[in-house]
């Protein structure tokens, strides 16, 4: 009996901790539009006068109770409305985030409303754990095209028709190729009903459309709004399905259809999905999603999804529009016939965040009631019921839309379920792998690639890798959603000479998982590079993983409404290598080389190298903003574009590898060593950072963010200047960021240079840093300070901090010096309890141990030997 209770608790825990992929919803209203719509709409499809009696429906009464519980107010509608207004007045979208808790991502149909009244689909990223994607509503596309053509009086109706056909096909093809678009939707249910004829005369379609346009113009209509009850409706749906079916590769983007439940301009009798059978048969390779539980035709939806391979059933919108019993019956009816692998869920959330909140609460309640009942009746085992939960809320949508997301349970106060997806029996047929789709599409575009470099940047900033033949990777993806290989746990405890530090172990293995979305050609012909993340064998996260640390930090920032754009400057020195003994020396023909000097761009050999670097980067999708000679002999700077933070860091690593490879192919060495020549300028890796989320350029947001970075900068230096050689370029008066904790507007002598608004440059960073660690430390410190609303206490320093008088130093607060060497920086890091807590004690302990191991290793080398040793590795 006790074991049965424990198993049932496992099921309930799975229901409440499985993240939700909301496969169909609509944008939220912007604040200025909230007052235009009645909040009563959150539980009804009624409009106008019909909404008057909504307050006596079971769905509304239940919603009031549930909302009052969440809001902590009396359970009356007026009190709930007042409490919601108070929540909406709070900053950083806190209420919206609370309402959407538990949602992994939203697939947003933004064709419902005027774009000036709702947020853009990508704005909703700040409310979810993963980036939101877009669903294209085809009728909206066509209506916008027709309206633009219709407004031109010189176009005859026949020309309007021809223009619509051509432009519509082009837009749909572009959407098929757009990675931000994951599917299409039709509301033909509202326009003609779902009985879509498989074949129609194009002459009939054109004639009826021409007559309609002619009549509108005769009636003095100036704005086209809706395609209604026209054969053109059938044409648009068939053409979209045809283009999807002909799209390259085995993966096809799904086509959603509104079915059943809707507002009063629908003809209910023609909204049954059974009318779609001829269309389903005509396009067997097009995945078709029947939305909204097809209510009241739920059994029909379950039947179609069970007998047609390309049909899937969504059980959204009935939450929260139906009563509790009605929702439970809808779940039972869909399960009567339909495999759980063909069922998915959505909120159909729209306008108000409360629609999301109620749907999430209620679907988990319904699943608990129905699935617990099936388990008690022995219709399902607990593992089978958990599989059903994961299919409905996450896996079916993840696979069908090719999202490639990892099912990571939501945080819970109690231990995770004893039964997880990893312990369930394998399906007879593995689900389609988004990674497989990404890889096959990449190989179609890059057929010469034979090998994959699966990479990780270790604690000493050595880029390590395993080379996997493409053939082997494809074989792995036939039976697994990801490419992953076993790597000794010692890999995150190695020095540059492969010595394991004390505290690390050679016992045990991690999985190194390919993050397939990072795949890029190069750095050499026939190779592609992929960044990897470490997981435990059971797929749980590894706190010591460099890339995972940054990802977790960015997720934390996103949860409080902060997102970033980063851009890096790659400063790098080219050195000549002797053809006889391999020794390095100053680059040939560099007399007169100086900052931005034309002299350093003369000679066909260096021009060939620079142009080859540019061309190779461009071929991989990395487009330089500029490049130019820097001050040191043989030193050049390559400016990368601003990108979202993780993408920017991955791009930096790949760009450096390409530069190194090109230069090596020309018999030279490219080095990131901070100070290769004592009497010349040093080499850095300056980071440009700006807060890209809404409000990021407000001083009340970026002020506390940069205040936090400056507050913890002495400890952060342990990551940004991570090698003893880094401190050779720490000097005043050299445009290197100086030796003081300070910031200044357009001041290149301060550690942080303010460029404009939230755009700052971090100057105290070089190429020997593990850029995942350095970026994580910078963003974690800033995010924590913004969250705590700490005040910027340092003034805007407009001169070299080293030249400040005591009075000026007191006025600006520039009193703290940066650590002068790595041992001091490590000691400061260890004493910074806040920064240690933000990054994780285990990680900081390992990092400090490895750095001290490096210092011990370096102590046995002569200065000149160590310098060459380091240049050869970085």
């Amino acid at each position: 009996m006790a074991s049965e209770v424990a198993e049932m608790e496992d099921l309930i825990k799975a229901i409440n901790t499985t993240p939700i992929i909301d496969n169909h919803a609509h944008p939220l209203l912007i604040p200025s539009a909230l007052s235009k719509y009645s909040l009563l709409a959150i539980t009804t499809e009624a409009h106008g006068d019909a909404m008057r009696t909504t307050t006596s429906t079971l769905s509304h009464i239940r919603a009031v109770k549930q909302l009052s519980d969440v809001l902590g107010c009396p359970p009356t509608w007026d009190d709930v409305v007042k409490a919601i207004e108070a929540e909406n007045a709070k900053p950083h979208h806190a209420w919206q985030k609370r309402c959407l808790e538990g949602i992994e991502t939203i697939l947003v149909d933004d064709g419902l409303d005027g774009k000036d009244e709702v947020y853009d689909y990508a704005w909703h990223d700040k409310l979810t754990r993963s980036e939101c994607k877009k669903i294209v509503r085809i009728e909206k596309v066509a209506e916008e095209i027709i309206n633009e053509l219709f407004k031109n009086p010189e176009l005859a109706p026949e020309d309007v028709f021809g223009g619509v056909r051509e432009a519509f096909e082009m837009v749909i093809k572009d959407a098929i190729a757009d990675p931000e678009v994951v599917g299409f939707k039709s509301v033909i249910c509202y326009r003609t009903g779902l009985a879509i004829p498989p074949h129609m005369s194009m002459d009939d379609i054109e004639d009826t459309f021409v007559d309609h346009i002619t009549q509108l113009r005769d009636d003095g209509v100036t704005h086209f709004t809706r395609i209604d009850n026209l054969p053109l409706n059938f044409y648009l749906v068939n053409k979209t399905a045809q283009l999807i079916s002909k799209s390259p590769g085995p993966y096809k983007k799904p086509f959603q259809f509104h079915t059943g439940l809707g507002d009063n301009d629908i003809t209910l009798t023609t909204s049954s999905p059974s009318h779609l059978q001829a269309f389903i048969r005509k396009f067997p390779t097009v995945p078709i999603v029947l939305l909204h539980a097809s209510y009241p035709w739920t059994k029909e939806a379950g039947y179609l999804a069970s007998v047609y391979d390309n049909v899937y059933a969504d059980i959204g919108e009935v939450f929260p529009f139906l009563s509790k019993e009605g929702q439970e019956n809808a779940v039972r009816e869909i399960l009567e016939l339909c495999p759980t692998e063909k069922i998915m869920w959505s909120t159909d959330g729209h306008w108000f965040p409360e629609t999301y909140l109620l749907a999430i609460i209620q679907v988990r309640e319904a699943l608990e009631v129905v699935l617990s009942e099936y388990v008690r009746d022995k219709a399902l085992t607990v593992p089978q019921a958990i599989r059903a939960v994961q299919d409905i809320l996450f896996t079916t949508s993840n696979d069908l839309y090719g999202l490639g997301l990892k099912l990571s349970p939501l945080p819970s106060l109690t231990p995770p379920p004893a039964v997880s997806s990893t312990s369930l029996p394998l399906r007879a047929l593995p689900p389609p792998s988004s990674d497989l789709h990404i890889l096959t599409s990449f190989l179609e575009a890059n057929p010469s690639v034979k090998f994959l470099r699966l990479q990780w940047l270790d604690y000493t900033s050595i880029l390590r890798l395993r080379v996997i033949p493409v053939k082997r990777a494809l074989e792995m993806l036939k039976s697994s959603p990801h490419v992953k290989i076993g790597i000794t746990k010692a890999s995150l405890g190695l020095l540059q000479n492969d010595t394991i530090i004390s505290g690390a172990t050679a016992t045990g293995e991690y999985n190194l998982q390919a993050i397939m979305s990072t795949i890029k050609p190069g750095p050499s012909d026939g190779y592609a590079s992929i960044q990897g993340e470490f997981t435990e064998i059971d797929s749980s996260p590894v706190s010591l993983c460099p890339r995972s640390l940054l990802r977790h930090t960015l997720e934390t920032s996103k949860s409080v409404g902060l997102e970033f754009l980063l851009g890096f400057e790659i400063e790098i020195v080219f050195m000549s290598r002797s053809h006889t003994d391999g020794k390095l020396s100053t680059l040939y023909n560099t007399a007169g080389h100086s900052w931005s000097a034309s002299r350093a761009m003369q000679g066909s050999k260096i021009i060939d190298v620079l142009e080859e670097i540019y061309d190779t980067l461009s071929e991989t999708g990395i487009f330089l903003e500029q490049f130019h000679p820097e001050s040191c002999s043989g030193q050049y700077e390559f400016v990368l574009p601003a990108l979202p933070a993780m993408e920017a860091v991955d791009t930096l690593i790949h760009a450096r590898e390409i530069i190194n490879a090109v230069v090596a192919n020309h018999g030279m060495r490219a080095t990131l060593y901070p100070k290769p020549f004592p009497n010349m300028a040093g080499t850095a890796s300056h980071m440009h950072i700006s807060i890209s989320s809404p409000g990021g350029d407000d001083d009340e947001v970026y002020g506390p963010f940069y205040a936090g970075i400056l507050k913890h900068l002495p400890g952060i230096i342990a990551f940004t200047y991570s090698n003893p050689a880094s401190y050779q370029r720490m000097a005043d008066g050299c445009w290197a960021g100086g030796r003081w904790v300070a910031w200044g507007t357009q001041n290149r002598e301060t550690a942080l240079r303010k460029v404009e608004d939230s755009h700052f440059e971090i100057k105290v960073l070089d190429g020997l840093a593990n850029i995942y660690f350095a970026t994580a430390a910078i963003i974690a410190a800033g995010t924590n300070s913004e969250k705590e609303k700490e005040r910027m206490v340092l003034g805007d320093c407009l001169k070299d901090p080293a030249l400040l008088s005591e009075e000026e130093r007191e006025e600006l607060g520039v009193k703290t010096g940066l650590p002068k060497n790595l041992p001091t920086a490590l000691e400061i890091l260890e004493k910074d309890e806040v920064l240690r807590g933000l990054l994780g004690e285990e990680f900081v302990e390992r990092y400090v141990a490895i750095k001290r191991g490096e210092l011990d290793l370096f102590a046995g080398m002569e200065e000149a030997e160590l310098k060459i040793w380091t240049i050869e590795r970085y």
Side-chain angles (χ1 to χ4, degrees):
M1 183 65 181
S3 63
E4 291 178 0
V5 172
E7 279 199 325
M8 194 65 79
E9 289 177 354
D10 291 340
L11 171 59
I12 294 169
K13 185 57 60 66
I15 290 170
N16 289 296
T17 61
T18 297
I20 292 169
I21 294 177
D22 186 351
N23 94 105
H24 179 80
H26 305 278
L28 296 178
L29 293 169
I30 60 176
S32 60
L34 282 171
S35 61
K36 297 181 182 179
Y37 300 92
S38 172
L39 190 60
L40 286 172
I42 63 177
T43 59
T44 181
E45 280 280 19
H47 295 279
D49 292 341
M51 195 181 288
R52 178 178 55 82
T53 55
T54 294
T55 55
S56 64
T57 62
L58 292 178
S59 60
H60 175 87
I61 293 168
R62 184 185 183 199
V64 170
K65 175 64 170 65
Q66 291 177 328
L67 288 171
S68 68
D69 288 343
V70 173
L71 292 162
C73 68
T76 71
W77 180 241
D78 287 344
D79 286 305
V80 165
V81 171
K82 290 177 183 176
I84 288 173
E85 289 174 351
E87 290 295 330
N88 284 333
K90 294 180 179 179
H92 302 306
H93 314 289
W95 175 238
Q96 289 94 327
K97 291 174 184 176
R98 169 63 185 89
C99 289
L100 272 69
E101 278 182 7
I103 293 183
E104 182 73 33
T105 184
I106 309 170
L107 311 187
V108 182
D109 165 17
D110 59 0
L112 175 65
D113 311 285
K115 293 181 179 178
D116 57 340
E117 292 188 337
V118 296
Y119 288 109
D120 179 77
Y121 82 96
W123 177 90
H124 297 75
D125 291 353
K126 67 174 78 270
L127 311 179
T128 58
R129 293 206 303 184
S130 298
E131 291 182 357
C132 298
K133 298 294 182 180
K134 186 174 181 178
I135 299 291
V136 171
R137 184 186 289 218
I138 65 168
E139 287 82 8
K140 186 74 169 181
V141 168
E143 286 156 0
E144 289 177 349
I145 294 170
I146 294 171
N147 184 50
E148 288 302 311
L149 298 171
F150 180 76
K151 290 188 294 186
N152 184 349
E154 296 182 3
L155 285 179
E158 293 81 4
D159 296 328
V160 173
F161 179 74
V164 171
R165 290 185 62 191
E166 181 179 349
F168 180 78
E169 182 169 340
M170 181 177 66
V171 172
I172 298 302
K173 284 182 175 179
D174 287 346
I176 289 172
D178 186 351
E180 289 299 301
V181 173
V182 295
F184 299 87
K185 180 194 176 183
S186 172
V187 291
I188 194 171
C189 186
Y190 280 98
R191 309 302 172 83
T192 65
L194 293 174
I196 304 168
H199 304 287
M200 285 201 67
S201 162
M202 188 56 65
D203 289 340
D204 290 343
I205 296 170
E206 181 174 5
D207 289 345
T208 56
F209 179 80
V210 167
D211 289 345
H212 183 61
I213 295 298
T214 301
Q215 186 62 54
L216 290 175
R217 286 180 169 172
D218 289 345
D219 292 343
V221 175
T222 59
H223 186 82
F224 186 91
T225 58
R226 178 167 166 137
I227 307 169
D228 211 356
N229 282 311
L230 290 174
L232 182 64
N233 291 106
F234 301 134
Y235 168 80
L236 297 174
V237 171
N238 277 285
K239 173 55 69 174
T240 301
Q242 180 189 72
L243 293 172
I244 294 171
S245 68
K246 291 183 177 180
S247 59
Y251 174 74
K252 310 296 180 186
K253 292 187 176 181
F255 199 176
Q256 300 178 345
F257 283 84
H258 181 110
T259 63
L261 187 64
D263 52 37
N264 63 10
D265 66 345
I266 204 168
T267 301
L268 191 60
T269 55
T270 60
S271 69
S272 166
S274 60
H275 293 293
L276 282 169
Q277 277 187 278
F279 180 83
I280 291 167
R281 295 189 188 109
K282 181 180 179 182
F283 297 102
T285 64
V286 177
I288 293 171
V289 179
L290 308 175
L291 293 173
H292 312 322
S294 302
Y295 184 86
W297 320 106
T298 306
K299 291 185 178 183
E300 283 88 336
Y303 166 76
L304 294 172
S306 69
V307 299
Y308 292 104
D309 181 58
N310 61 323
V311 177
Y312 295 78
D314 161 75
I315 54 168
E317 194 177 12
V318 294
F319 310 90
F321 284 3
L322 297 192
S323 68
K324 181 176 184 294
E325 184 179 12
Q327 293 169 355
E328 292 164 9
N329 287 339
V331 174
R332 291 188 183 96
E333 287 186 359
I334 204 71
L335 288 172
E336 287 177 5
L337 273 175
C338 192
T340 62
E341 296 172 48
K342 303 292 286 295
I343 305 172
M344 59 189 67
W345 186 77
S346 65
T347 61
D348 195 43
H350 63 286
W351 294 349
F352 302 104
E354 296 79 19
T355 57
Y356 289 87
L357 174 64
L358 292 170
I360 294 166
I361 293 172
Q362 293 175 14
V363 72
R364 296 196 194 277
E365 289 182 352
L367 290 174
E368 182 175 335
V369 170
V370 174
L371 295 179
S372 297
E373 179 182 295
Y374 286 161
V375 169
R376 285 192 296 269
D377 292 343
K378 309 299 183 185
L380 289 174
T381 64
V382 168
Q384 289 167 340
I386 291 175
R387 165 63 62 80
V389 171
Q390 294 173 336
D391 282 343
I392 293 168
L393 297 184
F394 189 93
T395 308
T396 303
S397 290
N398 194 38
D399 293 344
L400 183 65
Y401 294 98
L403 302 178
L405 300 174
K406 179 182 177 182
L407 199 168
S408 299
L410 300 168
S412 173
L413 296 176
T414 53
V419 181
S420 69
S421 59
T422 56
S423 63
L424 297 174
L426 291 176
R427 302 177 181 187
L429 291 173
S433 167
S434 175
D435 279 9
L436 177 59
H437 173 61
I438 293 172
L439 181 56
T440 53
S441 299
F442 174 83
L443 294 172
E444 287 175 6
N446 300 274
S448 64
V449 171
K450 297 183 294 183
F451 303 103
L452 304 180
R453 293 165 40 120
L454 180 52
Q455 305 176 158
W456 74 97
L457 193 65
D458 78 2
Y459 277 61
T460 69
S461 302
I462 296 290
L463 188 64
R464 297 181 184 262
L465 58 81
R466 292 292 180 89
V467 177
I468 304 173
V470 163
K471 181 179 179 181
R472 173 58 183 148
L474 292 171
E475 289 173 353
M476 295 167 78
L477 288 172
K478 289 179 181 178
S479 57
S480 172
H482 306 292
V483 171
K484 51 188 176 183
I485 58 174
I487 299 284
T488 174
K489 289 192 172 183
S491 59
L492 298 182
L494 294 179
L495 300 180
Q496 293 93 332
N497 63 352
D498 300 336
T499 302
I500 304 175
I501 64 161
S502 175
T505 177
T507 302
E509 271 195 342
Y510 295 128
N511 274 334
L512 180 64
Q513 179 178 313
I515 309 302
M516 198 61 69
S517 60
T518 67
I519 190 168
K520 288 184 180 295
S524 304
D525 291 342
Y527 288 79
S529 298
I530 307 172
Q531 308 307 323
E533 288 191 27
F534 290 95
T535 68
E536 299 288 358
I537 298 302
D538 65 359
S539 297
S540 59
V542 173
S543 62
L544 298 176
C545 173
R547 193 175 188 276
S548 298
L549 175 70
L550 177 56
R551 179 169 51 78
H552 172 74
T553 301
L554 294 172
E555 288 169 354
T556 300
S557 298
K558 186 175 180 180
S559 72
V560 297
L562 294 179
E563 295 178 86
F564 310 93
L565 289 176
L566 304 185
F568 290 96
E569 301 171 359
I570 301 177
E571 292 181 359
I572 196 162
V573 174
F574 301 164
M575 303 180 73
S576 295
R577 188 181 294 279
S578 169
H579 296 295
T580 54
D581 59 11
K583 289 185 178 180
L584 295 171
S585 59
T586 306
L587 186 66
Y588 61 89
N589 192 29
T590 54
H593 185 119
S594 59
W595 178 76
S596 294
S598 172
R599 170 68 182 82
M601 296 284 290
Q602 294 174 359
S604 60
K605 188 167 183 178
I606 193 63
I607 290 296
D608 288 347
V609 171
L610 295 172
E611 290 186 1
E612 186 178 339
I613 288 171
Y614 176 83
D615 290 341
T616 308
L617 289 170
S618 298
E619 288 166 6
T620 71
I622 301 173
F623 299 99
L624 294 176
E625 295 198 342
Q626 57 177 288
F627 60 91
H628 62 89
E630 265 293 351
S631 185
C632 173
S633 291
Q635 186 183 47
Y636 293 85
E637 179 176 301
F638 301 88
V639 180
L640 298 177
L643 296 168
M646 183 66 86
E647 184 181 355
V649 172
D650 290 338
T651 298
L652 172 65
I653 291 170
H654 194 59
R656 285 174 176 170
E657 283 295 284
I658 286 175
I659 293 170
N660 286 332
V662 170
V663 171
N665 288 340
H666 286 267
M668 299 181 290
R669 170 67 182 157
T671 181
L672 299 167
Y673 190 84
K675 194 81 169 175
F677 307 112
N679 298 319
M680 298 185 188
T683 299
S685 185
H686 299 157
M687 172 198 293
H688 287 257
I689 179 171
S690 60
I691 303 175
S692 58
S693 43
D697 282 338
D698 295 340
D699 182 67
E700 63 182 24
V701 174
Y702 73 76
F705 180 80
Y706 290 108
I709 295 173
L710 289 161
K711 178 179 179 180
H712 296 282
L713 190 59
I716 292 172
I717 287 292
F719 299 107
T720 61
Y721 283 171
S722 65
N723 190 286
S726 302
Y727 297 83
Q728 296 172 15
R729 67 173 289 274
M730 182 185 281
D732 296 317
C734 298
W735 296 11
R739 299 182 298 109
W740 294 90
V741 175
W743 72 277
T745 300
Q746 295 296 4
N747 187 351
R748 287 172 168 79
E749 293 294 357
T750 51
L752 272 65
R753 172 174 75 102
K754 181 179 181 180
V755 181
E756 183 181 20
D757 296 329
S758 72
H759 178 183
F760 276 61
E761 179 185 18
I762 312 292
K763 297 189 67 67
V764 284
L765 172 66
D766 67 29
L768 273 56
N770 181 309
I771 193 60
Y772 293 114
F773 295 161
T775 306
I778 290 166
I779 289 178
T783 297
N784 184 68
S785 180
E786 202 284 330
K787 185 178 178 182
E788 299 296 327
K789 289 302 177 188
E790 296 184 7
R791 190 170 57 87
M792 174 68 82
V793 296
L794 299 181
D796 188 356
C797 182
L798 300 179
K799 62 191 291 188
D800 186 340
L803 302 179
L804 293 173
S805 66
E806 286 302 318
E807 182 180 350
E808 290 171 323
R809 199 173 296 285
E810 186 71 30
E811 180 183 352
L812 296 172
V814 179
K815 303 175 184 179
T816 304
L818 295 174
K820 298 179 180 180
N821 52 52
L822 183 57
T824 304
L826 294 173
E827 290 175 5
I828 293 173
L829 172 61
E830 288 182 303
K831 293 176 182 177
D832 191 332
E833 295 182 2
V834 173
L835 188 57
R836 286 202 333 259
L838 293 172
L839 298 174
E841 296 286 354
E842 183 183 11
F843 159 69
V844 173
E845 182 180 339
R846 174 62 58 88
Y847 181 80
V848 171
I850 287 179
K851 289 297 148 184
R852 288 185 172 140
E854 287 183 63
L855 291 170
D856 291 341
L857 174 66
F858 300 160
M861 300 184 196
E862 296 293 333
E863 183 178 342
E865 175 193 5
L866 176 58
K867 180 176 179 179
I868 294 299
W869 188 91
T870 306
I871 288 174
E872 291 287 10
R873 284 162 175 77
Y874 300 96

